[in-house]
Amino acid sequence: ESTILNFLDQFLFGLNVYKRGECARAVELLYFAQKPYLQLVRLAENKTHHWLNPFKALETEISPSAYRQLRSCMTDLEPDHILKAYQNLLAAGTVLITTLTQEYELTDFGVLTKQLEEDLTGED
């Protein structure tokens, strides 16, 4: 559960920085959310050898679909691209969180991820 909480915490931090208009910092913080996200990917795919540095050897150690998903969560400094990367990261992270919480009987984070999704889209 700590990796999930770390992902959500880093994600929320970065999203709030983005909403303040700090694009460069939001991209930096996107990396800090991607790290626990990749740990979740590795856990889901049983590829935890590089747990401490989950970016290491990604091209060969995670599935092609997970690698494509990660690529959609990366960005340049264009504000619209940053927002899309955060949206993609939350969508991918939510799928992993749902899968892992069911598999390992962890806390249900559905309410929290739904609120984050609403924050991204501006819906209330």
Side-chain angles (χ1 to χ4, degrees):
E1 289 183 5
S2 64
T3 303
I4 293 171
L5 290 172
N6 190 22
F7 166 72
L8 294 171
D9 182 51
Q10 296 300 325
F11 179 89
L12 185 58
F13 183 22
L15 179 60
N16 284 328
V17 168
Y18 168 79
K19 286 182 173 185
R20 288 196 311 252
E22 297 181 48
C23 291
R25 182 108 193 274
V27 171
E28 174 195 20
L29 293 168
L30 185 62
Y31 161 78
F32 290 108
Q34 290 167 342
K35 186 173 179 179
Y37 164 75
L38 285 173
Q39 288 174 321
L40 296 175
V41 168
R42 287 181 173 281
L43 184 60
E45 294 191 353
N46 197 26
K47 304 281 178 136
T48 57
H49 180 70
H50 290 112
W51 182 262
L52 295 178
N53 184 359
F55 286 91
K56 186 170 184 164
L58 280 179
E59 296 79 3
T60 58
E61 290 187 356
I62 65 173
S63 68
S65 62
Y67 189 75
R68 278 191 305 276
Q69 187 65 51
L70 174 66
R71 287 181 57 154
S72 77
C73 302
M74 297 196 165
T75 187
D76 54 31
L77 289 171
E78 287 296 318
D80 291 345
H81 298 173
I82 296 168
L83 179 60
K84 187 64 176 169
Y86 272 93
Q87 289 169 335
N88 290 343
L89 184 61
L90 181 61
T94 299
V95 169
L96 282 171
I97 290 168
T98 301
T99 300
L100 292 169
T101 55
Q102 291 171 356
E103 185 174 338
Y104 294 102
E105 299 179 15
L106 303 173
T107 302
D108 183 2
F109 294 93
V111 172
L112 183 55
T113 56
K114 180 67 174 162
Q115 182 61 51
L116 288 171
E117 182 180 314
E118 290 171 3
D119 286 349
L120 273 169
T121 60
E123 298 172 8
D124 288 321

